[in-house]
């Protein structure tokens, strides 16, 4: 177990002491619904990528590559904007114990 810092070793409350710390934060833990992507329906319009508030849509050169569940909070915006219903929101309980 990592050694705990003493009170006087902690940064002053509210200060962010290094840049880019949000990258390490697993916002996917907040999710109660999971967007499930069906490649066979997708037309790579990239609406989901454009509207996702967490940049959790993975794309490469304009091609949809899937969803990054480390950051996806399960808001459902991607499923709502998808014109081909290629993303379905499913209860997270269906995926308990399975790999992302
Ligand atoms: S559910 Fe929300 S956070 Fe997750 S990929 Fe879709 S738009 Fe992004
Ligand atoms: S919005 Fe739907 S059709 Fe468009 S890239 Fe995303 S998953 Fe594919």
């Amino acid at each position: 177990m990592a050694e705990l810092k003493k009170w006087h070793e902690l940064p002053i409350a509210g200060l962010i002491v290094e840049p880019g710390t949000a990258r390490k934060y697993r916002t996917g833990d907040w999710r109660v619904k999971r967007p499930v992507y069906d490649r066979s329906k997708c037309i790579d319009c990239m609406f989901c990528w454009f509207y996702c508030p967490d940049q959790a849509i993975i794309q490469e050169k304009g091609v949809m590559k899937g969803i990054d569940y480390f950051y996806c909070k399960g808001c459902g915006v991607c499923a709502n904007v998808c014109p081909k219903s290629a993303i379905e929101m499913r209860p997270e309980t269906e995926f308990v114990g399975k790999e992302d």
Side-chain angles (χ1 to χ4, degrees), residues 37-39 41-49 57 62-64 78 81-87:
Y37 168 61
D38 182 346
R39 177 70 224 171
K41 295 180 181 173
C42 179
I43 56 171
D44 295 317
C45 69
M46 289 295 116
F47 280 13
C48 55
W49 173 79
I57 300 293
V63 176
M64 165 66 163
C78 54
V81 297
C82 178
K84 302 302 281 183
S85 301
I87 300 175

Side-chain angles (χ1 to χ4, degrees), residues 34 92-100:
R34 175 182 294 224
E92 193 62 35
T93 48
E94 289 181 18
F95 303 93
V96 173
K98 296 178 184 165
E99 292 285 318
D100 278 344

Side-chain angles (χ1 to χ4, degrees), residues 15-76:
L15 283 185
I16 296 171
V17 294
E18 60 176 298
T21 53
R23 282 184 174 274
K24 301 174 190 168
Y25 198 65
R26 191 182 185 93
T27 47
D29 282 346
W30 304 359
R31 204 173 48 242
V32 293
K33 284 194 171 179
R34 175 182 294 224
V36 176
Y37 168 61
D38 182 346
R39 177 70 224 171
S40 67
K41 295 180 181 173
C42 179
I43 56 171
D44 295 317
C45 69
M46 289 295 116
F47 280 13
C48 55
W49 173 79
F50 185 80
Y51 285 104
C52 174
D54 292 303
Q55 298 188 340
I57 300 293
I58 304 164
Q59 67 89 25
E60 206 177 293
K61 295 181 179 167
V63 176
M64 165 66 163
K65 293 288 186 182
I67 295 162
D68 186 340
Y69 294 117
F70 187 91
Y71 297 116
C72 168
K73 287 188 241 169
C75 66

